[in-house]
Amino acid sequence: MRTWRGDRGGCQGKRSNQIEAVRAIREELKGMTENEIADQLGRPDINQLIDRNQKFYIYFLEQGGHCESVAMPSQARSVALRMSAIGVVTEVTFQRGKP
């Protein structure tokens, strides 16, 4: 996962080669704490707060508009980890852009 962590935002194209590896550990990610996720995947590209003190950690899997400007909306493939109010991963989803 060192390669994953070194490819911030998926802008270097290295994360796209690791999508299947992340899909393979999808169930293992559930139940991990925020600190464990940070150790495995690094800082999220986007930290999105949602209702009831929950949040999404979003990691882009490929290049997109976000690589040119963080404020630019992106439809690049991404993985979102839903974090509970106590900081534990409850859901892992793959989509385009933000959930």
Side-chain angles (χ1 to χ4, degrees):
M1 287 298 186
R2 176 172 278 144
T3 303
W4 174 280
R5 294 177 70 172
D7 188 9
R8 187 90 172 122
C11 295
Q12 296 174 10
K14 296 177 184 175
R15 284 186 184 172
S16 61
N17 297 329
Q18 298 181 331
I19 295 172
E20 291 309 313
V22 174
R23 285 187 193 276
I25 63 168
R26 181 183 200 168
E27 292 302 316
E28 294 173 33
L29 294 174
K30 291 179 186 177
M32 284 188 171
T33 65
E34 291 181 49
N35 290 336
E36 291 170 327
I37 292 298
D39 288 344
Q40 289 292 315
L41 303 177
R43 247 182 28 203
D45 299 325
I46 298 175
N47 185 349
Q48 183 180 35
L49 296 175
I50 54 176
D51 60 335
R52 293 186 240 153
N53 294 327
Q54 296 180 61
K55 56 188 151 189
F56 279 114
Y57 278 9
I58 301 163
Y59 296 89
F60 286 102
L61 303 172
E62 62 187 6
Q63 295 178 356
H66 64 280
C67 293
E68 295 174 29
S69 170
V70 181
M72 185 179 287
S74 181
Q75 288 303 308
R77 291 184 296 170
S78 64
V79 61
L81 283 62
R82 184 184 201 118
M83 307 297 286
S84 71
I86 59 171
V88 174
V89 177
T90 58
E91 181 181 12
V92 179
T93 58
F94 292 82
Q95 68 274 319
R96 290 205 168 269
K98 298 188 293 187

